[in-house]
């Protein structure tokens, strides 16, 4: 499956967040790397949107969309800093 950089997730994430999350900084819970989400590795249909840490490939965020809901998992991040 082809991976994109984190900016490829901007459209899908704008369905959930009112701000541009790709410019937000997050800390990977697996390796401690701190980076903007736009610098991460994105798989658009994995299924759903999966964002992985560029340093260790740990899963940072998963967004699955259904007919009437969206489920967001951010368990792979210690924190997410929105400007
Ligand atoms: Zn990591």
């Amino acid at each position: 499956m082809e991976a994109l950089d984190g900016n490829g997730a901007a459209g899908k994430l704008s369905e959930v967040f009112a701000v541009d999350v790709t410019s937000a900084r997050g800390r990977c819970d697996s390796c401690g790397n701190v980076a903007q989400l736009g610098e991460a590795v994105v798989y658009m249909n994995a299924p759903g949107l999966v964002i992985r840490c560029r340093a260790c490939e740990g899963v940072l965020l998963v967004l699955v969309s259904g007919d009437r809901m969206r489920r967001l998992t951010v368990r792979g991040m210690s924190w997410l800093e929105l400007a």
Side-chain angles (χ1 to χ4, degrees):
M1 182 181 313
E2 182 182 355
L4 307 173
D5 72 25
N7 294 307
K12 275 287 184 191
L13 291 178
S14 72
E15 296 173 6
V16 177
F17 292 98
V19 296
D20 179 10
V21 178
T22 60
S23 64
R25 292 188 328 139
R27 182 184 183 276
C28 173
D29 202 40
S30 295
C31 73
N33 184 54
V34 174
Q36 290 186 327
L37 276 190
E39 299 172 8
V41 180
V42 172
Y43 297 90
M44 295 297 289
N45 297 297
L49 173 77
V50 175
I51 300 180
R52 289 183 173 271
C53 174
R54 190 166 291 279
C56 75
E57 299 185 355
V59 175
L60 299 174
L61 180 152
V62 177
L63 175 63
V64 176
S65 300
D67 288 342
R68 297 169 46 195
M69 65 79 184
R70 292 179 187 89
R71 181 171 295 155
L72 178 68
T73 302
V74 291
R75 193 170 61 183
M77 283 190 281
S78 307
W79 49 259
L80 181 65
E81 181 181 84
L82 303 167

